[in-house]
């Protein structure tokens, strides 16, 4: 039973997930695991230790649930070897009165034995190679093709076991083209079976249409408005067929909505399972609403797997998937399922961070002392290259939530209390110093001066937090909205309250202060990745929301209200609603809190200011005195007008912190 040379092996996460699923006590979970294992083997993927899996499968031949025994035999047909034949023949004898298990046993037997030995075993068991036995024998083997070519399964006369097996052969694409009639090809005949009175025959016809890549929903010949009259086991496969590919799912969106409200959990499981690999814009509305209303755990699990697998396509999926992952215990089936679904996505790394965080706590939920040894903290702080400054406690909490390690540190003759943290990504480690400044330019200047004196190795200084945005509804590409991210581009930082009063009016005297060239390079790299469909800050954001809770989640879209002349106005259309956009532009700074839309628009139009805040110039002046450059990252929490409120502040702080981590991790490790 050695794997073939050049075989493709199951991913370790997928293999571990399947082993947990197969070993679960719930018969439905065992069946699903066996089904999925069989499908992966049919696709050419193999387990690295097939003998151990085969031994486990032989144990399942004694399971109490008939469907588990049947699918264990199906899996053995693909995975097993001749040393499993005795267990299979014994299972055949024990289950002769169950035609489905009997057929699965015959299929496994013929798959694992040479043709003559298979004939002898069937003769010895008094199972002539005809009818249902013949159809079972050819499922997973190339034997008995001469008999199969002349066989016909008459829909009006064949018994139920024979019709079920015919449906299976069509689904596996192993049936001769005219299995049902010399005059009617299989793709036309298969639709007749979905109206058969035997629910399993009907179910297998729909399953066959779903599984066979050459068949589509049209071949089923079942009007979708008649589906609700079918039994649940048929409806579940019709729903899966309706999401066989993205285009079919989009064309049948209204039908998917009905499926999400189907009264049968079995049917809803079918739809949720079919959605696992499908995503298109707008589908998240259905999935998120469905998840909130769903009360069946197994349906929720499939929806979460869909979300984990497609989190890179939809940032709204990441938070619920990570919260479910964190709520599940270490080594649990739920975690294994979600990890398997998220494999090869950025969400997988976020799951591993959660696992890493959990491993850093003992049984009493206290931090292990080895992670906070003072000497190592001092060493890391003394070598840190990045200083992050925040003003408000919520901004500081947001940055801390993106860190993989946090330790407090004070320095002699320095009034600041620092957080020494790290961004850890595989073998890469980037140590940072985090300091809280309080509101205003003077506070920012004082804290920055102290920090640069205490940590002379600092090279990169980033101001992170919230700011008011400068919307521009007449130019959608420049329209900054709540929850968006603004960083200081080449336009720099403008101190707009540093003015000269003359008869001609007020003139801003602030000179342009350009940001860090290295961090601008990192921001440019992130922009390039975004054009390639990669948004690394979104995974960081989802993970941080899990840490901080719902108070830091994105507020409802209905609270993002823009006013003009005192009245609400519509935002311009956007294909990124609900997802933070990133803007580079000038950052306006002053000691005065801006709540005047006319001034805001003047700053936007004259200086290309995209965000307005109160600390950056103080930070910049302090850094300039130490020959350092700064970079500003702001999350937008209001529109700098009289309607300013605090609803978006937590989320805005968190998106800025998440982008900052992505920015720091984008810099080459050689800079650290």
């Amino acid at each position: 039973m050695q794997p073939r040379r050049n075989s493709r092996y199951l991913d370790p996460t997928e293999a571990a997930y399947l082993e947990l699923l197969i070993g679960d006590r719930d018969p439905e979970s065992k069946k699903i695991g066996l089904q999925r294992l069989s499908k992966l083997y049919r696709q050419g993927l193999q387990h690295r230790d097939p003998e151990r899996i085969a031994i486990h499968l032989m144990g399942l031949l004694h399971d109490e649930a008939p469907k588990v025994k049947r699918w264990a035999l199906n899996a053995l047909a693909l995975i097993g070897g001749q040393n499993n034949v005795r267990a299979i023949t014994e299972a055949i004898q024990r289950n002769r009165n169950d035609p489905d298990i009997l057929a699965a046993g015959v299929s496994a037997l013929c798959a694992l034995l040479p043709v003559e030995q298979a004939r002898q075993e069937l003769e010895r068991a008094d199972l002539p190679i005809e009818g249902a036995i013949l159809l079972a024998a050819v499922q997973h083997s190339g034997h008995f093709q001469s008999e199969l070519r002349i066989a016909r399964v008459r829909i009006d006369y064949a018994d139920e076991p024979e019709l079920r097996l015919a449906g299976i052969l069509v689904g596996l694409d192993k049936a001769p083209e005219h299995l049902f009639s010399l005059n009617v090809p299989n793709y036309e005949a298969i639709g007749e079976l979905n109206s058969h009175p035997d629910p399993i025959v009907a179910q297998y016809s729909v399953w066959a249409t779903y599984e066979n890549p050459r068949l589509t929903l049209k071949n089923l010949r079942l009007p979708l408005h008649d589906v609700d009259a079918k039994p649940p086991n048929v409806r579940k496969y019709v729903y899966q067929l309706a999401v066989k590919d993205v285009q079919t799912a989009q064309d049948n969106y209204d039908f998917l909505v009905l499926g999400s409200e189907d009264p049968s959990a079995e049917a809803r499981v079918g739809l949720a399972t079919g959605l696992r690999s499908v995503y298109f814009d707008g589908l998240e509305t259905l999935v998120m609403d469905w998840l909130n209303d769903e009360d069946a755990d197994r349906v929720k699990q499939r929806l979460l797997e869909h979300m984990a697998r497609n989190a890179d396509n939809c940032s709204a999926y990441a938070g619920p998937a990570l919260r479910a992952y964190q709520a599940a215990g270490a080594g649990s089936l739920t975690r294994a399922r979600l990890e398997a679904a998220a494999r090869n996505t950025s969400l997988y790394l976020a799951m591993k961070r959660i696992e890493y965080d959990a491993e850093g706590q003992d049984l009493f939920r206290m931090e292990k002392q080895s992670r906070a040894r003072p000497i190592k903290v001092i060493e890391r702080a003394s070598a840190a290259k990045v200083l992050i400054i925040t003003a408000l406690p919520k901004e500081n909490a947001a940055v801390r939530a993106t860190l993989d390690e946090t330790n407090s540190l004070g320095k002699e003759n320095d009034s600041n209390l620092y957080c020494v943290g790290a961004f850890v990504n595989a073998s890469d480690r980037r140590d940072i110093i985090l300091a809280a400044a309080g509101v205003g330019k003077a506070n920012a200047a004082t804290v920055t001066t102290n920090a640069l004196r205490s940590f002379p190795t600092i090279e990169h200084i980033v101001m992170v937090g919230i700011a008011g945005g400068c919307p521009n509804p007449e130019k959608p590409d420049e329209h900054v909205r709540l929850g968006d991210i603004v960083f200081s581009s080449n336009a720099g930082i403008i101190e707009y309250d540093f003015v000269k009063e003359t008869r001609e009016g007020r003139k801003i005297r602030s000179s342009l202060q350009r940001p860090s060239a290295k961090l601008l390079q990192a921001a440019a790299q992130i922009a390039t990745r975004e054009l390639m469909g990669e948004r690394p800050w979104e995974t960081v954001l989802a993970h941080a929301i899990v840490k901080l809770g719902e108070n830091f989640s994105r507020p409802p879209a209905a609270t993002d209200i823009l006013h003009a002349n005192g009245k609400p106005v519509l935002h311009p259309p956007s294909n990124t609603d609900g997802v933070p956009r990133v803007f580079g532009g000038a950052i306006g700074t002053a000691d005065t809190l801006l709540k005047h839309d006319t001034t805001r628009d003047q700053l936007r139009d004259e200086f290309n200011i995209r965000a307005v805040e109160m600390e950056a110039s103080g930070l910049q002046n302090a850094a300039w005195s130490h020959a350092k450059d700064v970079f500003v990252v702001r999350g937008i929490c209001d529109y700098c007008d009289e309607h300013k409120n605090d609803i978006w502040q937590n989320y805005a702080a968190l998106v800025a912190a998440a982008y900052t981590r992505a920015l720091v991790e984008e810099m080459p490790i050689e800079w650290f």
Side-chain angles (χ1 to χ4, degrees):
M1 270 194 345
Q2 293 299 317
R4 298 187 303 271
R5 293 183 65 185
N6 300 322
S7 296
R8 292 189 301 144
Y9 294 109
L10 292 178
D11 180 276
T13 303
E14 183 80 29
Y17 154 61
L18 288 171
E19 290 182 42
L20 275 171
L21 198 59
I22 293 168
D24 192 75
R25 293 182 179 181
D26 175 33
E28 188 64 24
S29 293
K30 291 178 184 177
K31 186 196 79 169
I32 292 169
L34 292 165
Q35 286 176 325
R36 191 150 164 199
L37 182 66
S38 298
K39 188 166 187 176
L40 289 169
Y41 260 72
R42 290 202 306 270
Q43 293 171 346
L45 292 169
Q46 297 188 32
H47 198 283
R48 292 183 181 274
D49 191 358
E51 290 187 9
R52 179 166 58 83
I53 293 297
I55 291 172
H56 193 66
L57 295 177
M58 286 193 293
L60 293 178
L61 297 181
H62 299 274
D63 198 275
E64 295 180 0
K67 57 189 175 184
V68 173
K69 287 186 271 193
R70 175 161 53 90
W71 276 99
L73 287 165
N74 288 337
L76 276 171
L78 298 164
I79 298 170
Q82 292 192 28
N83 55 335
N84 304 126
V85 167
R86 181 177 177 181
I88 293 170
T89 56
E90 290 175 353
I92 289 173
Q93 293 300 330
R94 289 195 305 271
N95 297 279
R96 288 183 72 96
N97 294 328
D98 187 315
D100 294 318
I101 298 178
L102 175 62
V106 170
S107 176
L109 191 69
C110 294
L112 302 180
L113 287 178
V115 60
E116 291 307 319
Q117 282 185 249
R119 288 184 186 275
Q120 292 171 10
E121 288 291 344
L122 292 176
E123 288 175 7
R124 190 177 296 119
D126 193 22
L127 296 170
I129 305 173
E130 59 187 27
I133 299 302
L134 171 62
L135 298 181
V138 298
Q139 271 189 40
H140 298 296
S141 77
H143 308 331
F144 316 114
Q145 293 299 310
S146 58
E147 292 95 330
L148 181 64
R149 278 193 293 272
I150 61 174
R152 292 291 174 270
V153 180
R154 306 295 181 185
I155 291 178
D156 294 335
Y157 303 106
D159 58 18
E160 284 84 357
E162 197 171 352
L163 291 172
R164 295 175 193 175
L165 290 165
I168 291 174
L169 283 183
V170 172
L172 296 175
D173 203 16
K174 292 187 176 182
E177 186 55 39
H178 295 274
L179 178 62
F180 299 99
S181 169
L182 284 172
N183 301 318
V184 180
N186 295 338
Y187 69 84
E188 291 185 10
I190 193 68
E192 292 186 31
L193 292 178
N194 65 60
S195 58
H196 195 279
D198 180 75
I200 306 300
V201 172
Q203 175 184 345
Y204 280 9
S205 75
V206 182
W207 173 87
T209 311
Y210 173 76
E211 285 290 330
N212 191 314
R214 296 188 296 167
L215 300 181
T216 67
L217 196 60
K218 294 179 180 178
N219 299 117
L220 197 58
R221 294 195 294 179
L222 177 64
L224 295 184
H225 56 76
D226 292 340
V227 169
D228 58 356
K230 296 294 182 181
N233 61 344
V234 173
R235 296 204 301 272
K236 76 173 182 179
Y237 281 114
V238 177
Y239 292 137
Q240 289 191 37
L241 196 54
V243 292
K244 191 170 184 177
D245 55 64
V246 171
Q247 188 60 55
T248 304
Q250 287 180 302
D251 292 343
N252 294 287
Y253 184 83
D254 291 341
F255 182 60
L256 306 188
V257 175
L258 292 175
S260 70
E261 299 169 351
D262 193 291
S264 167
E266 180 183 5
R268 297 197 305 276
V269 164
L271 176 55
T273 301
L275 284 173
R276 187 173 186 270
S277 304
V278 172
Y279 179 78
F280 54 87
D281 288 341
L283 180 61
E284 68 276 5
T285 303
L286 166 63
V287 172
M288 298 288 282
D289 290 344
W290 182 6
L291 182 69
N292 291 333
D293 295 337
E294 182 57 59
D295 55 6
D297 288 340
R298 55 183 176 145
V299 181
K300 285 184 177 180
Q301 179 66 54
R302 304 302 183 278
L303 291 174
L304 287 166
E305 288 177 40
H306 159 82
M307 297 166 81
R309 184 160 184 165
N310 295 284
D312 284 351
N313 298 320
C314 176
S315 61
Y317 281 171
L322 287 178
R323 285 193 289 275
Y325 182 86
Q326 186 176 51
S332 67
L333 183 56
T334 295
R335 281 200 172 184
R337 284 173 167 171
L338 291 174
E339 283 185 18
R343 191 71 177 181
N344 300 321
T345 72
S346 57
L347 196 67
Y348 183 77
L349 179 60
M351 290 176 179
K352 288 304 173 184
R353 285 186 185 133
I354 290 175
E355 189 175 58
Y356 173 84
D357 290 342
E359 288 175 354
Q361 296 178 337
D362 63 18
L363 293 175
F364 299 98
R365 308 297 294 169
M366 299 292 289
E367 272 198 323
K368 293 179 180 178
Q369 292 300 313
S370 61
R371 292 182 63 190
R373 286 180 290 182
I375 294 177
K376 284 203 170 185
V377 172
I378 294 171
E379 289 175 353
R380 289 171 180 168
S382 299
K385 299 296 181 65
V386 176
L387 171 66
I388 296 177
I389 303 289
T390 62
L392 302 172
K394 64 186 67 178
E395 298 167 343
N396 200 272
V399 174
R400 283 174 179 257
T402 68
L403 294 168
D404 296 312
E405 296 179 9
T406 57
N407 294 282
S408 296
L409 181 67
K411 297 284 286 186
E412 189 175 356
N413 299 322
D414 185 342
S415 59
N416 296 347
L417 178 61
Y418 299 100
C419 170
V420 181
F423 299 137
V424 182
N425 189 346
S427 60
D428 288 348
R429 178 189 182 89
R430 291 165 168 81
D431 291 307
I432 67 103
I433 305 294
L434 172 62
V439 177
K441 292 184 289 186
N443 288 331
T446 301
V447 167
T448 304
T449 299
N450 287 341
L452 292 175
R453 184 177 61 248
S454 294
F455 304 103
T457 58
I458 293 294
E459 294 182 9
H460 315 292
I461 307 170
V462 190
M463 186 82 201
V464 180
I466 61 176
C470 298
N472 197 344
E474 295 180 1
K475 296 181 179 179
D477 289 343
E478 299 178 10
H479 183 57
V480 179
R481 294 184 58 171
L482 304 187
D484 286 344
I485 301 162
V486 175
F487 67 83
S488 50
S489 69
N490 281 319
I493 301 166
I494 297 176
E495 195 172 3
Y496 68 87
D497 63 346
F498 182 29
V499 298
K500 177 181 180 181
E501 293 278 2
T502 68
R503 288 185 177 180
E504 288 75 25
R506 292 161 56 91
K507 182 177 181 180
I508 294 177
R509 301 176 63 191
S510 173
S511 57
L512 177 65
Q513 300 175 34
R514 299 183 67 183
S516 162
K518 288 185 175 180
L519 286 166
L520 274 177
Q521 286 288 320
Q525 286 295 106
I526 292 179
T528 300
R529 291 180 62 183
E530 185 175 10
L531 292 173
M532 299 170 65
E534 301 176 23
R535 298 166 64 88
W537 62 89
E538 290 184 351
T539 301
V540 179
L541 174 63
H543 182 213
I545 290 175
V546 171
K547 280 188 175 182
L548 292 173
E550 291 297 324
N551 287 338
F552 279 78
S553 62
R554 187 178 179 89
T559 62
D560 181 5
I561 303 172
L562 179 64
H563 293 81
N565 300 319
K567 297 180 180 180
V569 295
L570 293 176
H571 292 281
S574 171
N575 58 4
T576 59
D577 285 351
V579 177
R581 296 175 70 191
V582 181
F583 296 88
I587 304 289
T589 185
D591 265 331
T592 303
L593 182 66
L594 181 60
K595 296 179 65 175
H596 193 271
D597 54 354
T598 302
T599 302
R600 174 200 70 195
D601 292 346
Q602 288 174 346
L603 293 173
R604 178 198 68 200
D605 296 338
E606 185 173 354
F607 299 103
N608 193 33
I609 285 177
R610 299 290 178 87
V612 177
E613 49 93 276
M614 299 177 64
E615 291 85 25
S617 64
L619 180 83
Q620 176 71 65
N621 292 336
W624 179 81
S625 67
H626 287 77
K628 308 285 186 182
D629 292 324
V630 305
F631 199 82
V632 181
V633 179
R634 294 294 188 183
I636 302 305
C637 65
D638 60 66
Y639 290 121
C640 304
D641 59 14
E642 60 184 359
H643 302 283
K644 173 182 171 64
N645 58 56
D646 297 344
I647 294 174
W648 283 77
Q649 286 190 358
N650 285 357
Y651 180 77
L654 201 54
V655 295
Y659 182 84
T660 300
R661 171 161 184 160
L663 184 77
V664 172
E665 289 187 323
E666 195 63 36
M667 293 191 288
I669 194 65
E670 291 77 14
W671 292 1
F672 294 85

